[in-house]
Structures are given as structure tokens and as C-alpha cells.
Amino acid sequence: KFPVFLSQILPRPPFFTGLLFYFADPPEVALRLSGRILGVQLGLSWLEGVLADVIRTQLGNQLALPNVASIPLDVNNAQAWFQVGGKTPDGILTVRVRRARDLAPRVAPMPFLPWRKEADPCCELSVGASSWRTPRKRDTLEPVWVGEEGAHSFVVHSLSEQSLRLKVFDDG
């Protein structure tokens, strides 16, 4: 979704002070690149992933809530830049990560190297462009976060559009 809002109705053209637009969450981006050099098909999947990640990150940083973009339409009004405004938050979401169970062990980097059967788990939570990480728990597949170390509050700008995203990974 990419909502566009018209700000403040005017009694004359352009009839609105400006446009306000944003993504509720960073957008998913997929690219398909193809090319040939001397008649040989190039394998560009690695570049597709890199470019898609850069585009998603930049769009998220610039246009995912709480960030918004605005275009003043009322060019005769010097205050239009300030009147278009932003999106007022709907509320605050407080999340408490308490534990994880049955996590997968760390994968050996090379088949012939010794490796531990544990992990250093961490959780990353995000709402819109805002993200937060729990502290890393060392050498465990059943981490526990005690008290406030696993708690964080997010400002939610759109209850109907934004979602909480959670990623659990080995941070070792």
C-alpha cells in the first residue's frame, strides 16, 4: 500500500494545501536483471539481491512511517510547507520478548572445522522504519530475556496499516 492524502481543503484552486504520502512498512522490492556479454547470458541474481536491499532500505528510511513525504500544492502560501504536516500517531505498542525455544544450532562454516552446537540468538523487531534489537544471549538455543532487557515501545502511526515484524537470528 502507498496511501496518498490530500491536506487541508481550500476554497480555491489547487483546492488542497498539499499531498502527503508514505509506506506503512518498508516495501518489499524484487528485481529481475538480465544481460548478455558476447552472446553469453550473465548470472545477475547476486546483483538483484544487493540492489533490491539498497532500494528497500532507502525507501524505508525516507518514506516508511514515521517518515512521510509531502508536496505543497498551494504555491502562493509561504506556510504551505508546514501546513501539509505529517501523520499523527495512533498510539504506542509495547512489546516484551520473553524467550525462544527449540532454536536451530549454528551451522558449521566448513564441514571439516569443529563447531559448537549452540547459537548466540538475538531478536530484531520493527514497526514502520523503526527497529530495535534484544541483547544477544550467548551459547544457548533457549534464550530468556529478563525484565526490561526484552521490552521496547514503538510509536504506531497507523493501526490498520502497520505491522510488527520479528526476526530471530544467530548474532554470533
Side-chain angles (χ1 to χ4, degrees), residues 15 68 119:
F15 302 111
V68 298

Side-chain angles (χ1 to χ4, degrees), residues 42-65:
L42 297 175
L44 299 173
S45 60
W46 65 273
L47 183 58
E48 293 169 357
V50 170
L51 289 176
D53 188 49
V54 168
I55 292 168
R56 182 189 54 77
T57 299
Q58 292 305 313
L59 284 174
N61 289 344
Q62 300 300 315
L63 293 174
L65 289 173

Side-chain angles (χ1 to χ4, degrees), residues 1-169:
K1 281 182 154 182
F2 191 67
V4 176
F5 297 93
L6 299 168
S7 300
Q8 293 186 341
I9 298 174
L10 299 173
R12 57 179 166 65
F15 302 111
F16 297 95
T17 303
L19 297 172
L20 178 73
F21 50 97
Y22 61 85
F23 288 107
D25 293 313
E28 293 298 320
V29 176
L31 298 175
R32 178 73 177 111
L33 303 175
S34 63
R36 291 180 178 272
I37 292 182
L38 301 173
V40 176
Q41 182 71 31
L42 297 175
L44 299 173
S45 60
W46 65 273
L47 183 58
E48 293 169 357
V50 170
L51 289 176
D53 188 49
V54 168
I55 292 168
R56 182 189 54 77
T57 299
Q58 292 305 313
L59 284 174
N61 289 344
Q62 300 300 315
L63 293 174
L65 289 173
N67 306 310
V68 298
S70 57
I71 301 173
L73 299 176
D74 191 5
V75 293
N76 297 322
N77 180 354
Q79 300 298 314
W81 279 103
F82 304 103
Q83 293 173 348
V84 175
K87 180 134 175 55
T88 304
D90 285 346
I92 295 176
L93 171 67
T94 300
V95 180
R96 185 176 312 270
V97 178
R98 294 185 180 207
R99 74 178 56 170
R101 290 187 224 157
D102 302 323
L103 296 177
R106 178 176 292 129
V107 176
M110 300 280 192
F112 54 85
L113 292 177
W115 60 288
R116 299 176 301 158
K117 293 185 178 180
E118 300 293 332
D120 296 335
C122 180
C123 296
E124 183 176 78
L125 295 92
S126 54
V127 173
S130 302
S131 62
W132 172 78
R133 280 182 161 191
T134 63
R136 173 177 44 178
K137 296 295 181 175
R138 292 198 175 272
D139 301 325
T140 182
L141 298 179
E142 307 232 351
V144 175
W145 289 273
V146 180
E148 294 303 310
E149 76 173 340
H152 186 74
S153 295
F154 292 97
V155 176
V156 178
H157 288 81
S158 178
L159 290 172
S160 62
E161 297 173 302
Q162 287 186 289
S163 58
L164 173 68
R165 295 176 311 281
L166 168 68
K167 181 168 83 172
V168 180
F169 58 95

